[in-house]
């Protein structure tokens, strides 16, 4: 809402993406994204989009970040299933490595979805769009929230606040359930583990019923996704644990 993205060239000749947002509708999200990216030393993680500059005038705020080729959503739909089978585990590994980097710094993404992951010119994943991200205090494990995020990609504990008075609880493992849905999306060339329509997905996420899981013919991949999207938050692994699962052992799988 009120957001456009442009390509620009800086004085040093480097290309950047310029995310232009209306102050009237997007200032809080823009300021939050700037603060999150400023707190994050992205030089230490190649899988987080790098922040360059933040500018504003009386009408717009402008967030300048590294230029990437496309979103993961676009990338998955433009590739054939053979390409995704070859590169999918690497892509998932990079997504989870970026998520681990955020979680290690106490940052909850809160809006993981295929259109909020960018693919750079070399085909590597970059987590992006931190407009509703939050930083946990040192002694906190939970952020209490209303149902913010994107339908079809929300964790079940966030969705619970839609149906009841009060706030839902968002933890690091809430990001993990969204990451599991994205993992399935990559491995199946754009399918969702909880259904095909918005209503079906939302209902099945709420009920813990991954109706499409069996269409993933890679049994190791199916088991991996099932763990990440577990209905009970305590049954999901943290990102650093998920990266240790055999399915993520990309070194011995012949992937680039």
């Amino acid at each position: 809402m009120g957001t456009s993205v442009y390509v620009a060239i800086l004085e040093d000749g480097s290309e950047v993406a310029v995310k232009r947002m209306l102050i009237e509708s997007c200032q809080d999200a823009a300021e939050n994204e700037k603060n999150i990216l400023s707190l994050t030393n992205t030089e230490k993680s190649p899988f987080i989009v790098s922040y360059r500059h933040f500018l504003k005038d009386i009408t717009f705020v402008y967030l300048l970040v590294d230029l990437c080729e496309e979103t993961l959503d676009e990338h998955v739909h433009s590739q054939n299933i053979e390409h995704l089978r070859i590169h999918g585990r690497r892509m998932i590994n990079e997504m989870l490595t970026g998520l681990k980097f955020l979680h290690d710094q106490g940052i909850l993404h809160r809006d993981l979805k295929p259109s909020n992951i960018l693919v750079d010119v070399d085909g590597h994943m970059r987590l992006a769009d931190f407009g509703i991200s939050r930083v946990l205090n040192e002694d906190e494990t939970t952020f209490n929230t209303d149902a913010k995020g994107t339908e079809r990609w929300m964790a079940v504990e966030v969705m619970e606040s839609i149906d009841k008075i009060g706030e839902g609880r968002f933890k690091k493992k809430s990001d993990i359930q969204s990451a599991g849905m994205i993992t399935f999306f990559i491995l199946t060339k754009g399918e969702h583990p909880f259904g095909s329509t918005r209503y079906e997905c939302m209902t099945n996420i709420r009920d813990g019923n991954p109706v499409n899981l069996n269409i993933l013919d890679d049994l190791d991949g199916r088991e991996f996704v099932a763990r990440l999207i577990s209905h009970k938050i305590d049954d999901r692994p943290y990102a650093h644990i998920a990266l240790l699962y055999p399915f993520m052992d990309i070194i011995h799988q012949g992937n680039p």
Side-chain angles (χ1 to χ4, degrees):
M1 295 290 291
T3 300
S4 302
V5 180
Y6 302 90
V7 177
I9 300 176
L10 300 181
E11 290 182 350
D12 63 6
S14 61
E15 292 184 322
V16 295
V18 180
K19 188 175 179 180
R20 189 187 75 175
M21 295 162 275
L22 276 170
I23 287 179
E24 183 179 358
S25 58
C26 301
Q27 183 169 10
D28 290 346
E31 292 280 358
N32 187 69
E33 186 161 6
K34 179 199 74 171
N35 293 337
I36 292 291
L37 289 170
S38 298
L39 286 170
T40 306
N41 185 353
T42 52
E43 293 181 358
K44 294 183 178 180
S45 175
F47 307 125
I48 306 292
V49 70
S50 292
Y51 164 72
R52 297 292 194 91
H53 300 287
F54 181 82
L55 308 166
K56 64 180 177 179
D57 55 31
I58 61 173
T59 306
F60 297 105
V61 291
Y62 306 87
L63 185 69
L64 279 64
V65 297
D66 283 347
L67 181 65
C68 290
E69 291 291 293
E70 55 190 346
T71 67
L72 177 62
D73 190 15
E74 295 165 335
H75 184 73
V76 165
H77 285 110
S78 69
Q79 302 298 329
N80 58 45
I81 192 66
E82 288 76 18
H83 175 93
L84 295 172
R85 284 173 176 165
I86 293 170
H87 295 272
R89 298 191 192 201
R90 171 188 57 80
M91 294 160 63
I92 296 159
N93 184 288
E94 292 175 356
M95 172 185 65
L96 288 171
T97 301
L99 191 57
K100 174 185 178 298
F101 177 78
L102 292 178
H103 288 175
D104 284 349
Q105 298 181 76
I107 298 171
L108 306 175
H109 189 286
R110 298 181 67 223
D111 197 18
L112 276 180
K113 57 184 177 181
S115 60
N116 280 352
I117 298 174
L118 304 181
V119 183
D120 68 20
V121 67
D122 296 315
H124 296 297
M125 306 298 105
R126 301 278 195 103
L127 302 191
D129 286 280
F130 300 95
I132 63 170
S133 298
R134 290 292 182 269
V135 182
L136 293 171
N137 294 326
E138 188 172 343
D139 58 344
E140 289 180 330
T141 61
T142 304
F143 178 77
N144 293 323
T145 177
D146 54 11
K148 287 190 176 180
T150 302
E151 292 182 344
R152 298 179 69 234
W153 305 102
M154 287 181 184
V156 61
E157 53 273 11
V158 179
M159 290 177 55
E160 288 173 354
S161 63
I162 298 174
D163 301 323
K164 66 180 183 181
I165 298 174
E167 297 178 321
R169 55 201 176 98
F170 198 102
K171 297 173 175 282
K172 293 176 181 179
K173 289 184 178 183
S174 303
D175 277 336
I176 291 296
Q177 189 174 37
S178 301
M181 300 177 203
I182 296 168
T183 295
F184 188 86
F185 178 88
I186 293 171
L187 295 175
T188 58
K189 188 176 161 55
E191 300 292 340
H192 196 288
F194 289 100
S196 302
T197 67
R198 167 193 164 277
Y199 177 78
E200 186 182 16
C201 287
M202 297 288 281
T203 300
N204 287 325
I205 292 170
R206 186 183 291 110
D207 295 341
N209 183 25
V211 293
N212 281 346
L213 196 57
N214 287 340
I215 72 173
L216 180 55
D217 55 11
D218 182 334
L219 296 182
D220 291 337
R222 191 189 305 171
E223 180 182 352
F224 183 72
V225 170
R227 292 189 182 189
L228 269 57
I229 65 172
S230 293
H231 191 66
K232 293 182 179 179
I233 191 169
D234 291 339
D235 291 342
R236 300 173 212 152
Y238 288 105
H240 70 280
I241 298 297
L243 285 163
L244 298 176
Y245 286 173
F247 184 74
M248 285 287 88
D249 188 11
I250 60 174
I251 295 176
H252 299 106
Q253 294 165 358
N255 288 346

